Amino acid sequence: MKTSETHDAASAIMPLTATREEVSAIARYIKHCDIKIIEEGAVACINAGKIRQVLLIGSGDSYALALLYAALINRITSLPARALQSYEFVSEHTEYLDDSWLVVVLSASGRASPVVDALIKAQHTNAQVVGITNNSDSLFATQVKKLLVTQATKKGMPTQSTLAMAIFLEAIICILQPEYDKQYWPQFRKFCFYAKYLPDIARFSGSDQMLSHLFTKRVTLLGSGGNLGLATMLSNLLWCGPQVASQALALEEYEHALRLNQAGAQDLVIIFNCTGSPGVLAWHIKQQLIKKNATVLHVDNQLLSYMFSGHYTAFSSHEDCHFYAMLAIFSFIISATEKYLSCGGERISQE
């Protein structure tokens, strides 16, 4: 294992050692977040009184985050919100964008990519455009007219950087819906306590059996609304870390395209249901999968309660637990990558 990890640290893209350090430092990052400064920075970028629609743009994990927060913004503010991948936005007609639109462009690394092209195109419209990145020295940062910088670390897999951008998106929600501010920030401080247990949360929850299925079965991740964003986030990280091929799909799409009918003992299906939205379809699909002898992991508030507190009632079924789900994902991906390397696997390198 040491040989594999040494090789990984020396040459892998997004090395595991850096990922572990960044996840371990999440609690410290949260502790030192100055909430007032974050909100003040966002207020300076946004004329909230004019905003009637919200568009979030990103690629990779930034797009997964856009999916999650489009759903959260709609639920909390009642504003129509949608998520688009960067290249899709670049190809889209954008004459409809006026100053009633808030366009948030997300780029963790800030490197040259379709996200930069999307940013430039958005800034040529009449929309209110805000860019969020972790790297103030990046190409993305030099092109943004209204910039929010998280100052998070991103050398390993997108973990701390993703959570940091989520915190800044929460600040934007507080501006769009001021009442949310009173509800959110006290809960956020409580969340900081649980973050201290990273990156070992997955180990505490007894995920060894699930890890073994990860490398022997066909992997599908499901969710609806914000939960689809979480499913997409884990799918991206499975490709990045243990290099497990996986697909992320909306619950309804999975049920209607005959995929559910073809599921069986060869499948591992991970269903996300932890953003406070009704989970009737998730429950139905889970029951059907069990009947077909598929292996199912239902990531809901009950499971997160057990992972973080050791009992099943720490979070109510209607509580929004997306931050806790993100921590669980980050911890799980470290354990999965460690197992992959210990079995002799080699990750994609820069060589």
Side-chain angles (χ1 to χ4, degrees), residues 7-19 22 111 154-158 237 239-243 337 341 346-351:
H7 174 75
D8 181 79
S11 62
I13 298 172
M14 297 181 289
L16 176 61
T17 50
T19 306
E22 289 162 25
R111 66 178 183 273
K154 187 184 184 300
K155 293 181 181 178
M157 288 175 267
L237 287 170
W239 284 94
C240 291
Q243 300 182 178
T337 307
L341 292 172
E346 292 189 10
R347 299 177 63 222
I348 299 297
S349 71
Q350 303 176 51
E351 297 173 348

Side-chain angles (χ1 to χ4, degrees), residues 32-345:
H32 290 93
C33 275
D34 192 318
I35 295 169
K36 289 186 178 179
I37 290 178
I38 292 173
E39 285 198 23
E40 287 170 2
V43 166
C45 296
I46 297 170
N47 184 344
K50 286 191 172 184
I51 294 171
R52 297 293 178 269
Q53 299 91 200
V54 182
L55 178 62
L56 297 103
I57 300 171
S59 295
D61 276 74
S62 294
Y63 174 63
L65 202 62
L67 284 170
L68 172 60
Y69 274 87
L72 291 175
I73 287 170
N74 175 255
R75 180 168 60 81
I76 294 167
T77 71
S78 297
L79 294 173
R82 62 192 288 236
L84 276 179
Q85 289 186 317
S86 304
Y87 187 75
E88 185 177 0
F89 178 78
V90 170
S91 305
E92 187 174 273
H93 290 290
T94 54
E95 292 82 1
Y96 65 90
L97 291 174
D98 58 24
D99 63 359
S100 71
W101 280 86
L102 171 63
V103 179
V104 183
V105 187
L106 306 169
S107 178
S109 66
R111 66 178 183 273
S113 71
V115 183
V116 176
D117 298 329
L119 170 70
I120 293 170
K121 181 172 182 176
Q123 290 183 155
H124 278 88
T125 72
N126 293 317
Q128 300 184 50
V129 182
V130 178
I132 304 179
T133 188
N134 306 300
N135 187 356
S136 59
D137 297 322
S138 63
L139 174 63
F140 180 90
T142 65
Q143 299 297 317
V144 178
K145 295 177 182 177
K146 294 181 178 180
L147 174 65
L148 298 174
V149 181
T150 70
Q151 297 181 334
T153 304
K154 187 184 184 300
K155 293 181 181 178
M157 288 175 267
T159 50
Q160 183 187 130
S161 57
T162 300
L163 188 132
M165 287 199 297
I167 293 171
F168 277 68
L169 287 168
E170 295 284 341
I172 289 175
I173 294 177
C174 290
I175 294 167
L176 298 176
Q177 178 56 268
E179 289 299 313
Y180 182 63
D181 189 81
K182 299 174 185 177
Q183 169 191 340
Y184 168 67
W185 293 121
Q187 293 179 348
F188 183 73
R189 289 307 180 193
K190 178 183 176 183
F191 163 73
C192 183
F193 168 79
Y194 287 109
K196 293 188 295 185
Y197 295 103
L198 283 168
D200 297 316
I201 292 169
R203 294 192 183 96
F204 295 156
S205 65
S207 59
D208 290 347
Q209 186 178 7
M210 188 55 59
L211 287 174
S212 66
H213 291 309
L214 190 68
F215 297 98
T216 58
K217 295 182 181 291
R218 183 171 60 182
V219 181
T220 300
L221 304 111
L222 302 176
S224 180
N227 287 298
L228 178 58
L230 294 170
T232 303
M233 190 179 298
L234 178 53
S235 179
N236 288 343
L237 287 170
L238 287 173
W239 284 94
C240 291
Q243 300 182 178
V244 171
S246 63
Q247 58 176 345
L249 294 165
L251 285 167
E252 187 174 7
E253 181 69 15
Y254 182 75
E255 184 187 43
H256 276 271
L258 295 181
R259 296 181 181 95
L260 179 56
N261 301 66
Q262 299 173 54
Q266 75 277 13
D267 288 287
L268 167 62
V269 182
I270 302 175
I271 304 174
F272 284 90
N273 185 26
C274 44
T275 62
S277 56
V280 175
L281 185 57
W283 183 87
H284 167 73
I285 290 176
K286 176 184 176 181
Q287 299 310 309
Q288 294 301 309
L289 287 167
I290 291 172
K291 289 179 182 178
K292 293 176 176 295
N293 297 315
T295 302
V296 184
L297 175 63
H298 193 189
V299 185
D300 60 0
N301 289 13
Q302 188 179 53
L303 177 62
L304 293 174
S305 291
Y306 179 74
M307 290 180 70
F308 285 91
S309 69
H311 60 86
Y312 289 107
T313 58
F315 309 123
S316 72
S317 59
H318 296 289
E319 192 171 346
D320 189 333
C321 293
H322 65 278
F323 269 120
Y324 298 97
M326 289 169 68
L327 293 189
I329 287 170
F330 300 158
S331 180
F332 182 76
I333 209 64
I334 288 175
S335 296
T337 307
E338 288 172 344
K339 183 173 180 63
Y340 174 70
L341 292 172
S342 69
C343 294

